[in-house]
Amino acid sequence: MLAQHFFGLGESSRILAFDVALHFGTLLAVVYAYRRELWSMLTGQSWRLLLLVGLATLPAVAVGLGLKSLIEKTFVSPVESAVEILVTGAVLWWTKRFAGEAHREPAPGSALAVGTAQAVAILPGISRSGMTIATGLFCGFSRETAARFSFLMSIPAIGGACLLEAKDLAHFPHALWPQVVLGTAVSAVTGFLSIRWLLGVISRGRLHYFAYYCWAVGLAALLALLIF
């Protein structure tokens, strides 16, 4: 909606281009926040973690490509989105029972479990970071490990989405490139600050606090749909 207001209704290619810019900015934020871990993975020092992140990415790839048309239909159903936000709240609330004091490291089975949560989060009302971090805690990860694995998983997911949408940039007016660059920069800065803030919330065991927000938004959306 913001992009439509900014570029004008009906200009879908411009909207998609701005969407790519925002996604790319988020990608830059995650890469910067976890630059040391990424360097260790890419230089072979953490090759096992690299393989597990790749394994965890497969469910989202399979669902995104295999069920693309079905998933797209959910994006036009505000009722389904509102219900999915309520579901996200329930999952986040359940993390209250998991203190994150266990120190299990990611393994093939748990990586696939977290990856499946990421695939479910393709649905519009499901929080990707919330679902994957919560699933990591359910699998016995420490809070730090659950957050780190979740954000590292987001890199191929967001990067893949950017590549798929990048074709729309070919027809984007050159006169509007400054706005795209600005959008990328703002997304990167706010994304990095959000990551740092979220890590602080998770480290204090307060992830379940977001359940109240999800329930409030979900219920308000359903109420608005009933009234209007």
Side-chain angles (χ1 to χ4, degrees):
M1 185 62 70
L2 174 61
Q4 288 181 340
H5 177 73
F6 188 80
F7 292 117
L9 290 172
E11 301 181 2
S12 59
S13 62
R14 298 184 182 186
I15 295 170
L16 288 172
F18 193 65
D19 190 49
V20 173
L22 297 181
H23 277 89
F24 186 65
T26 301
L27 178 63
L28 292 177
V30 177
V31 168
Y32 183 77
Y34 287 94
R35 58 193 181 281
R36 294 183 180 85
E37 289 83 353
L38 283 172
W39 178 254
S40 181
M41 291 164 62
L42 295 176
T43 55
Q45 300 175 53
S46 301
W47 61 269
R48 185 174 183 275
L49 180 58
L50 178 62
L51 292 177
L52 290 173
V53 169
L55 180 63
T57 304
L58 295 179
V61 173
V63 170
L65 296 179
L67 302 176
K68 184 175 182 293
S69 59
L70 181 62
I71 292 172
E72 286 177 346
K73 293 179 181 179
T74 66
F75 281 79
V76 297
S77 174
V79 174
E80 288 185 17
S81 296
V83 171
E84 288 158 7
I85 293 174
L86 295 176
V87 171
T88 296
V91 173
L92 294 177
W93 177 256
W94 192 252
T95 62
K96 186 178 183 181
R97 296 177 174 269
F98 295 80
E101 296 175 352
H103 292 86
R104 294 180 185 174
E105 291 298 316
S110 57
L112 280 175
V114 179
T116 301
Q118 179 169 254
V120 172
I122 292 177
L123 296 171
I126 303 295
S127 166
R128 194 212 68 85
S129 57
M131 289 294 289
T132 52
I133 293 173
T135 303
L137 292 174
F138 300 157
C139 289
F141 297 174
S142 67
R143 295 168 188 158
E144 180 184 8
T145 299
R148 181 176 68 248
F149 196 71
S150 170
F151 282 114
L152 289 175
M153 283 172 52
S154 74
I155 294 175
I158 299 174
C162 287
L163 288 176
L164 289 175
E165 297 175 348
K167 63 182 184 298
D168 296 294
L169 293 176
H171 307 290
F172 194 76
H174 294 290
L176 293 178
W177 271 102
Q179 289 92 326
V180 172
V181 174
L182 178 61
T184 301
V186 172
S187 176
V189 173
T190 56
F192 178 75
L193 294 176
S194 297
I195 290 171
R196 302 303 299 176
W197 174 72
L198 181 58
L199 290 176
V201 172
I202 295 170
S203 67
R204 293 190 293 272
R206 296 176 179 174
L207 184 62
H208 63 281
Y209 283 12
F210 289 105
Y212 298 112
Y213 167 78
C214 292
W215 289 335
V217 172
L219 290 174
L222 287 176
L223 182 61
L225 290 170
L226 289 174
I227 295 175
F228 301 105

